[in-house]
């Protein structure tokens, strides 16, 4: 299967260990000496419509990619940050701990 970068940016990245949707492919890294693709970058989700920045970005090495599908890319990725469970958006904003 041949895939262009434009087509890859429209695919969701899913972790096969727990089924977590990491996001869409944002960019790729290429080794300029060998010309090989080294990793894909998945940008973190926007917090509060982008006003509070983004969550952490994912740098997924090429070796962690298991399957390229029609709509998604399945990866075997261990370095997922644990997101804290939130009680409520307004309680966290107005009454920080």
């Amino acid at each position: 299967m041949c895939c262009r970068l434009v087509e890859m940016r429209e695919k969701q990245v899913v972790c096969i260990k727990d089924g977590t949707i990491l996001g869409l492919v944002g960019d790729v890294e290429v080794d300029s000496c060998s010309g090989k693709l080294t990793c894909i970058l998945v940008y973190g989700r926007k917090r509060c419509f982008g006003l509070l920045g983004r969550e952490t970005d994912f740098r997924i090495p090429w070796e962690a990619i298991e399957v390229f599908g029609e709509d998604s890319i399945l990866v075997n990725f261990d370095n997922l940050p644990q997101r804290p469970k939130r009680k409520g958006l307004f309680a966290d904003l107005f009454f920080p701990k």
Side-chain angles (χ1 to χ4, degrees), residues 12-15 18-29 38-46 54-62 64-65 73 75-83:
Q12 277 189 340
V13 179
V14 179
C15 180
D18 57 358
T20 305
I21 297 173
L22 303 177
L24 299 174
V25 176
D27 204 357
V28 296
E29 284 185 10
T38 58
C39 71
I40 59 175
L41 298 172
V42 177
Y43 297 129
R45 297 180 192 158
K46 294 179 181 177
R54 289 182 173 267
E55 293 179 357
T56 57
D57 298 338
F58 299 107
R59 186 176 181 267
I60 302 169
W62 186 254
I65 298 173
I73 299 172
V75 297
N76 190 0
F77 190 62
D78 290 329
N79 298 335
L80 293 176
Q82 297 296 324
R83 294 188 179 115

Side-chain angles (χ1 to χ4, degrees), residues 89-97:
L89 177 64
F90 295 107
D92 291 342
L93 287 175
F94 296 113
F95 304 107
K97 293 180 181 179

